[in-house]
Amino acid sequence: MTPGIALHTTPHPRRRLFQIWHFLTTPTIPLDADTARRVRLLLALLFVGALVGAFGGILGLLDDYHELIYDGIPPNLGNTVISTGPVLVAIFLYVLARTGRHRLAATLLTASISGIIGLSGYLSFGKQGPYFLYFLPLSVIMASLLLSQRATVYAALTNIGLIFLLANIVPNWGTGYYDELAMNLVSSALLVVAAAIRQRDAAQIQAQIQELERTHRAEREAREKAERADQVKTAFLASMSHELRTPLNTVINFTRFVADGDLGPVNAEQADTLNSVARSGRHLLSLINDVLDMSKIQAGSFKLFVEKQIDLKVILESTLKTGKALLDEKPVTLAASIDPDLPLIDGDRQRLLQVFLNIMSNACKFTDEGSIHLIAAMAGDKVRVSIQDSGPGIGPEDHALIFEAFKQTETGLRKGGGTGLGMPISKTLVEAHGGRLMLDSRSGGGATFTVDLPLHAPSPPVGGGA
Amino acid sequence: MNMMQSILYVEDDPNSRHVMKLLLSGRLKVPHVVILEESSRYLETLLALDPAPEVILLDIHVQPYSGFQMIEQTRRLPSFVHTPVVALTASVMNEEVQQLREVGFHSVIAKPIDLAAFPDQLQRIIQGEALWNVVE
């Protein structure tokens, strides 16, 4: 063990004392806050009481032996015995209180205070006057602090009964006890009221705590339920995706093998037909992808996987490559002006590629002649990527439609295909990156889709449902 | 393009195995193509292959060892530290791809595979390029 660790494991002496005190006065069983407070007080009183009693006993013992040594008087040990009794009682009650019988211990303590005061009153009243009656409220205080409102009433009644009893059995009582009786009545009444208030407050606080706990529990359960539902939904979507893609692998690729003649000669018509099957399979695949993406977004379970320092240029190159393949033999020129100093950004590669592929494939689909131009450069503090095409363009009345789920324009429907989900998904993806997707177009004048992306994407998840 | 010599593929779906056999043995004429339909003898097969595979293709939902267990087994073998292990899977939701990345797959290729692009993808992977684009 290193000295550094040793330093940490040995607490400061004052802290150590506090720990011991804390240990001695902490209830050993779980209790509600109010009862715990009362048991702690009881344990503290009994512990301090036993200490003070023991100290008194030692002083008495010293006194006894002092007489023996200096005056030769044999010790009667009276003081020692007198203080040993209460010490033993205190220890006994402490043990009771610590072993879970705190109500019994508090009741015995209260009763013994009444009893001792009553007894000493009976034994000494004649000689020392009624002063002991002033101590009687002590038992009521104990009952009020350590027990209940009801116990306080009982303690008060016991004391009053005791006063009457003593008045009748003590020989030299006389008649002057009304002041003490009145004092006891008043102080008892006050303590009963105090106990009642404390008990009501404690009950209210307890009720409030329970209410809070109930609310908290209900909230937590609701949240857990929502999370579970979310997990089930995500798992369902994942397994849907898997289950649909596996047979599509067979459908598309077996068809291709047959169409391409890998399994024997096919005539031109057969090959054409089979290629249509394969293309439809591919199309079905992209529909599945879009529908699953949209479900995730609407379920609120959609998350970006943002990476630091991704190179947009790589993503755009990949987009251009796909664009070239899509244009195939069409008389359309595909040009790109990508700023070679384009900074690296934070983002989800897959999702950004998805956005640009979607815009690019739309441009390729709708542009039959002319050009498509991809431009990427900084614009202020954002990276701006635009894809301009010389296609039929989109009338202003359709601009909002483009970004709405499951909606397509007339032209879109004529061109056959698509779910109408590509653009809404792309818009969500760009916005999840903290960016914007904008459309600039008019009917007959081509279309420009512009994506503005901040250099640093926010990482929290987005989604329609959240 | 260098001719590929040896490929190991583990796949439980018979049709996917058939597609890959047509592609790798039929079209690409890879001389050593070993395709396992379950993974109980994966390690033995891998170690016995001569020549050693240049690339290993693993489906993820395989019995008794999943793709995740197989990649762990492979990564413990010093002689296969540099062999690219590719997840060939239909599970390509974002989280799943992320998980594949975390357990040490070199690349991922999504099912359905693209017959036209696949040979080039394999070639790039063998040359060291990591492919993680599952978006169509």
Side-chain angles (χ1 to χ4, degrees), chain A residues 237-238 242 245-246 249-250 253-254 256-257 260 262-263 282 289 296 305 307 348 350-351 353 357, chain B residues 15-16 18-19 22 27 61 90-95 98 111-115 132-136:
Chain A
L237 291 176
H242 179 259
R245 281 170 158 272
T246 304
N249 188 33
T250 314
N253 290 321
F254 276 170
R256 276 265 137 81
F257 281 121
D260 293 351
D262 288 54
L263 303 175
R282 278 274 153 203
N289 288 342
K296 287 194 91 176
F305 283 99
E307 289 176 273
D348 183 328
Q350 286 293 315
R351 296 308 194 168
L353 177 62
L357 281 182
Chain B
N15 288 325
S16 298
H18 193 173
V19 165
L22 286 172
R27 267 192 197 184
H61 303 271
S91 297
V92 286
M93 300 287 267
N94 238 338
E95 293 84 351
Q98 190 66 15
K111 271 194 267 178
I113 59 163
D114 184 338
L115 286 190
W132 287 95
N133 287 349
V134 294
V135 175
E136 304 296 321

Side-chain angles (χ1 to χ4, degrees), chain A residues 399-436:
Chain A
H399 282 201
L401 209 61
I402 293 280
F403 295 110
E404 238 173 274
F406 298 106
K407 294 284 169 61
Q408 278 183 297
T409 62
E410 280 300 313
T411 326
L413 290 170
R414 264 203 314 281
K415 278 282 175 183
T419 40
L421 289 175
M423 275 302 160
I425 291 171
S426 295
K427 189 168 154 57
T428 309
L429 294 177
V430 171
E431 283 167 4
H433 279 84
R436 279 193 335 139

Side-chain angles (χ1 to χ4, degrees), chain A residues 147-453:
Chain A
L147 288 159
S148 59
Q149 180 197 358
R150 184 182 296 181
T152 315
V153 174
Y154 288 154
L157 291 177
T158 307
N159 285 353
I160 289 155
L162 207 58
I163 293 170
F164 282 111
L165 184 70
L166 290 170
N168 287 304
I169 59 173
V170 173
N172 302 316
W173 180 277
T175 51
Y177 64 90
Y178 293 107
D179 288 353
E180 289 73 26
L181 181 61
M183 187 210 73
N184 267 288
L185 282 173
V186 170
S187 59
S188 295
L190 286 175
L191 286 163
V192 168
V193 169
I197 290 172
R198 199 214 57 207
Q199 202 158 320
R200 197 201 55 197
D201 287 354
Q204 270 174 2
I205 290 168
Q206 198 65 28
Q208 278 167 4
I209 290 171
Q210 275 169 4
E211 181 60 33
L212 275 176
E213 277 171 354
R214 239 194 323 274
T215 319
H216 185 70
R217 202 164 42 236
E219 273 169 11
R220 201 182 51 224
E221 276 165 11
R223 197 171 55 239
E224 280 169 359
K225 204 170 154 190
E227 275 165 11
R228 264 199 309 280
D230 213 45
Q231 281 165 5
V232 169
K233 219 176 290 174
T234 307
F236 174 74
L237 291 176
S239 95
M240 272 287 278
S241 168
H242 179 259
E243 294 309 319
L244 292 170
R245 281 170 158 272
T246 304
L248 270 180
N249 188 33
T250 314
V251 171
I252 295 169
N253 290 321
F254 276 170
T255 310
R256 276 265 137 81
F257 281 121
V258 179
D260 293 351
D262 288 54
L263 303 175
V266 280
N267 65 35
E269 196 186 349
Q270 287 167 333
D272 265 4
T273 315
L274 289 169
N275 278 327
S276 296
V277 175
R279 265 199 308 279
S280 298
R282 278 274 153 203
H283 182 57
L284 184 53
L285 176 63
S286 67
L287 296 189
I288 290 167
N289 288 342
D290 281 358
V291 169
L292 289 174
D293 273 350
M294 205 62 210
S295 322
K296 287 194 91 176
I297 289 169
Q298 289 186 338
S301 59
F302 175 83
K303 285 193 207 79
L304 286 184
F305 283 99
V306 175
E307 289 176 273
K308 301 263 172 211
Q309 308 273 298
I310 64 171
D311 191 350
L312 217 47
K313 289 198 286 287
V314 174
I315 293 172
L316 295 176
E317 291 299 340
S318 181
T319 308
L320 284 168
K321 211 168 146 188
T322 307
K324 250 179 220 122
L326 286 173
L327 286 171
D328 201 18
E329 309 264 282
K330 276 206 244 183
V332 178
T333 50
L334 177 56
S337 327
I338 300 174
D339 181 354
D341 296 328
L342 213 57
L344 301 178
I345 67 166
D346 298 348
D348 183 328
R349 292 170 205 267
Q350 286 293 315
R351 296 308 194 168
L352 289 177
L353 177 62
Q354 186 179 349
V355 168
F356 294 124
L357 281 182
N358 178 50
I359 299 173
M360 179 59 83
S361 65
N362 273 348
C364 294
K365 186 157 84 182
F366 291 107
T367 309
D368 291 327
E369 52 182 2
S371 65
I372 296 173
H373 196 181
L374 186 152
I375 305 158
M378 284 300 285
D381 59 347
K382 307 212 165 189
V383 179
R384 172 167 289 177
V385 180
S386 302
I387 298 181
Q388 299 174 344
D389 68 54
S390 62
I394 303 154
E397 68 282 2
D398 284 340
H399 282 201
L401 209 61
I402 293 280
F403 295 110
E404 238 173 274
F406 298 106
K407 294 284 169 61
Q408 278 183 297
T409 62
E410 280 300 313
T411 326
L413 290 170
R414 264 203 314 281
K415 278 282 175 183
T419 40
L421 289 175
M423 275 302 160
I425 291 171
S426 295
K427 189 168 154 57
T428 309
L429 294 177
V430 171
E431 283 167 4
H433 279 84
R436 279 193 335 139
L437 171 57
M438 293 157 292
L439 164 63
D440 179 20
S441 177
R442 57 196 161 78
S443 213
T448 303
F449 283 91
T450 301
V451 175
D452 275 355
L453 288 169

Side-chain angles (χ1 to χ4, degrees), chain A residues 69-82:
Chain A
I69 292 162
Y70 291 96
D71 309 326
I73 304 165
N76 63 10
L77 300 182
N79 293 332
T80 312
V81 173
I82 282 174

